[in-house]
């Protein structure tokens, strides 16, 4: 385990160097981030030590989870006042503990910038049950409640705006939107959604014209097997609506903290299969770029892609490299593309091996000096205590494998 930890440490440190070797000038500020879903620290001194380790690894940013949904692990250094909610002061949602200010001060003291990682349509609100969206159920042919909040309800929009306004009162350096700002293939059939669609497009879309055929899968569930001619238009409208909502979150936050950077969080399909990204999630990479957010975050999780696309891990890694190149081609700024790399298998929960992480970093090198986030930041990464290694990959004369432990 010690060899594994030191190996990953060396890879991260060298990565900051050899990716920087191909850096052009850019408008966005390039970041190297640890995305934190959980910290095992029992108290604030231990949190400070964790942040110091991140900085020694060559990371310059910590992306902190500031929400608590049912099932999420509570930070052990807090005294929780609610089972779900947020980690900052607000009247717009239950407050688990107001710790963001203290965490931000500790991170800044360690030399790290802080991005607040915040939910949107999965935010745990007291009224969540009453404010759910509506979806078409192809099995029964009826309209059913969704788990997510309805983005078309004025109450939901206002409550989320209030949350992002309050979040911006803290001394944070940016915001990463959670990947829940999506409308899935059959979602968007609440009365508020229908009214918004009629207002924006001048027409209504019925499930009958959007979903032409269905099939029953081996698991017994019924799926849409053929989309209608109108579906693309409907999905594109949903995408425009979601991007406008994200821009509204950014704008209300900037009334408190001008120029606060925002990152939208998109699934890998928006680059590997754009039609699927739009159909399944109502997300579109090109439209997100045009919306002018400071960062476009892509969940380039190679192990997840390997499992979902039935690809060998090596091919999934190669696909991450292709995504990096195509993403930069659209953003025209490598630093603006925030590529999120997977450091732990989500199914087996095993940490990604140092050699595998090295291969991913080599695969994305050709795209330029990207912004990178390592997810999830976990104990095996945070426990590294080796001294910071001098950059040794500043030229092609230094092998990329130099100093790396297999």
């Amino acid at each position: 385990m010690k060899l594994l930890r030191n190996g990953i440490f060396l890879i991260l440190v060298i990565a900051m160097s050899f990716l920087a070797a191909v850096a052009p000038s850019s408008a966005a500020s390039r970041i190297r981030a640890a995305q934190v879903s959980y910290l095992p620290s029992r108290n604030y001194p231990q949190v400070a030590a964790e942040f110091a380790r991140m900085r020694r690894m060559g990371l310059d940013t910590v992306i902190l989870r500031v929400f608590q949904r049912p099932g999420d692990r509570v930070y052990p250094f807090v005294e929780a006042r609610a089972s779900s909610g947020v980690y900052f002061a607000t009247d717009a949602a239950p407050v688990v503990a107001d710790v963001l200010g203290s965490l931000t001060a500790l991170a800044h003291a360690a030399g790290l910038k802080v991005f607040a990682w915040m939910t949107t349509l999965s935010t745990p609100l007291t009224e969540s049950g009453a404010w759910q969206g509506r979806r078409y159920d192809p099995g029964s042919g009826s309209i059913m409640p969704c788990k997510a909040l309805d983005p078309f309800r004025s109450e939901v929009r206002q409550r989320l705006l209030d949350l992002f306004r309050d979040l911006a009162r803290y001394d944070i350096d940016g915001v990463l939107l959670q990947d829940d700002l999506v409308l899935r293939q059959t979602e968007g059939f609440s009365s508020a959604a229908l009214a918004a669609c009629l207002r924006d497009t001048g027409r209504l879309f019925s499930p009958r014209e959007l979903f032409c055929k269905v099939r029953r899968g081996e698991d017994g569930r019924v799926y849409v097997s053929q989309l209608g001619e109108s579906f693309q238009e409907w999905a594109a409208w949903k995408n425009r609506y979601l991007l406008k909502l994200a821009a509204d979150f950014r704008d209300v936050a900037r009334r408190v903290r001008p120029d606060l950077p925002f990152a939208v969080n998109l699934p890998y399909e928006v680059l590997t299969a754009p039609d699927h990204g739009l159909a399944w999630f109502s997300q579109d990479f090109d439209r997100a770029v045009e919306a002018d957010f400071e960062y476009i975050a892509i969940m380039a999780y190679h192990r997840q892609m390997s499992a979902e696309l039935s690809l060998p891990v090596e091919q999934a890694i190669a696909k991450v490299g292709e995504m990096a190149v195509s993403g930069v081609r659209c953003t025209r700024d490598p630093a603006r593309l925030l590529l999120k790399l997977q450091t732990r298998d989500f199914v087996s929960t095993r940490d990604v091996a140092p050699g595998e992480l090295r291969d991913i970093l080599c695969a994305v090198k050709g795209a330029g000096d990207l912004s990178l986030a390592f997810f999830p930041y976990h104990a095996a990464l945070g426990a590294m205590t080796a001294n910071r290694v001098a950059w040794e990959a500043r030229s092609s004369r230094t092998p990329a494998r130099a100093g790396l432990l297999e």
Side-chain angles (χ1 to χ4, degrees):
M1 178 60 72
K2 184 176 180 180
L3 289 178
L4 175 66
R5 293 173 179 173
N6 288 339
I8 296 177
F9 175 82
L10 291 170
I11 289 169
L12 292 177
V13 171
I14 291 176
M16 310 314 161
S17 174
F18 79 56
L19 288 173
V22 291
S25 60
S26 63
S29 175
R30 187 267 286 161
I31 62 176
R32 298 285 186 263
Q35 185 171 349
V36 173
S37 59
Y38 179 76
L39 282 174
S41 310
R42 309 299 303 183
N43 50 51
Y44 282 122
Q46 290 182 8
V47 172
E50 203 73 56
F51 288 160
R53 291 188 187 102
M54 293 177 189
R55 193 69 189 101
R56 288 198 300 271
M57 290 164 59
L59 301 173
D60 55 38
T61 303
V62 57
I63 302 173
L64 289 171
R65 175 172 62 88
V66 296
F67 59 88
Q68 178 73 39
R69 296 176 301 191
D72 292 334
R73 290 188 291 178
V74 178
Y75 291 128
F77 52 85
V78 308
E79 294 184 8
R81 307 200 310 260
S83 59
S84 61
V86 297
Y87 285 101
F88 55 93
T90 182
D91 293 328
V95 177
V96 178
D98 181 11
V99 297
L100 180 56
S102 298
L103 293 177
T104 300
L106 290 174
H108 285 168
L112 295 170
K113 292 180 290 186
V114 175
F115 273 51
W117 171 22
M118 182 57 192
T119 48
T120 61
L121 301 185
S122 66
T123 301
L125 303 177
T126 305
E127 303 86 353
S128 290
W131 290 353
Q132 292 173 312
R134 293 294 184 270
R135 65 178 178 85
Y136 171 69
D137 176 42
S140 64
S142 59
I143 303 300
M144 308 284 289
C146 303
K147 292 182 179 179
L149 295 169
D150 185 358
F152 302 100
R153 288 187 69 115
S154 59
E155 302 96 330
V156 169
R157 179 182 179 277
Q158 187 58 55
R159 189 65 64 85
L160 293 176
L161 289 172
D162 292 344
L163 278 168
F164 281 97
R165 179 201 61 215
D166 292 340
L167 178 61
R169 300 188 193 283
Y170 289 80
D171 191 23
I172 55 177
D173 304 287
V175 173
L176 171 68
L177 299 179
Q178 168 64 337
D179 61 358
D180 57 354
L181 191 59
V182 299
L183 285 164
R184 299 186 182 275
Q185 187 178 60
T186 61
E187 293 178 350
F189 286 100
S190 67
S191 58
L194 296 176
C197 187
L198 182 61
R199 179 196 66 218
D200 295 344
T201 69
R203 60 172 299 186
L204 295 175
F205 297 87
S206 69
R208 184 183 297 274
E209 67 176 307
L210 295 172
F211 314 114
C212 296
K213 294 182 181 179
V214 299
R215 63 174 178 84
R216 187 172 298 277
E218 295 180 358
D219 58 1
R221 297 174 60 187
V222 177
Y223 298 89
V224 175
S225 59
Q226 182 178 334
L227 299 172
E229 294 181 359
S230 300
F231 180 85
Q232 195 78 4
E233 181 183 354
W234 183 61
W237 167 73
K238 291 196 295 180
N239 171 249
R240 292 194 299 271
Y241 187 93
L242 292 177
L243 285 175
K244 175 61 168 62
L245 189 57
D248 290 344
F249 298 155
R250 176 192 60 194
D251 294 345
V252 75
R254 285 183 174 174
R255 294 191 190 108
V256 179
R257 291 182 65 80
D259 301 323
L260 183 67
F262 262 65
V264 291
N265 210 355
L266 304 180
Y268 67 81
E269 288 89 350
V270 298
L271 286 175
T272 62
D275 288 345
H276 291 167
L278 183 62
W280 296 343
F281 305 105
S282 304
Q283 290 292 357
D284 184 292
F285 185 82
D286 291 340
R287 301 291 82 76
V289 170
E290 293 172 0
D292 205 27
F293 293 95
E294 283 71 23
Y295 297 96
I296 311 297
I298 300 294
M299 295 177 284
Y301 301 148
H302 71 289
R303 286 292 188 93
Q304 179 182 350
M305 292 167 60
S306 174
E308 294 179 352
L309 303 178
S310 299
L311 293 175
V313 170
E314 295 78 10
Q315 290 185 24
I317 290 174
K319 190 170 285 291
V320 171
E322 295 168 3
M323 292 165 56
V325 172
S326 62
V328 169
R329 188 181 301 122
C330 292
T331 63
R332 300 183 180 181
D333 180 358
R336 191 180 174 202
L337 183 66
L338 175 57
L339 212 61
K340 295 169 59 176
L341 306 181
Q342 187 175 359
T343 63
R344 174 175 288 165
D345 191 293
F346 301 146
V347 178
S348 70
T349 70
R350 294 178 181 175
D351 298 341
V352 170
E356 193 171 312
L357 184 57
R358 175 206 64 216
D359 291 343
I360 301 170
L361 293 168
C362 288
V364 305
K365 179 183 177 182
D369 195 23
L370 309 173
S371 290
L372 298 176
F374 297 92
F375 179 79
Y377 181 82
H378 50 74
L381 291 171
M384 299 168 190
T385 57
N387 292 327
R388 179 166 181 160
V389 178
W391 304 119
E392 294 183 352
R394 292 192 180 278
S395 73
S396 59
R397 295 190 300 272
T398 304
R401 294 172 180 265
L404 303 184
L405 301 177
E406 298 294 333

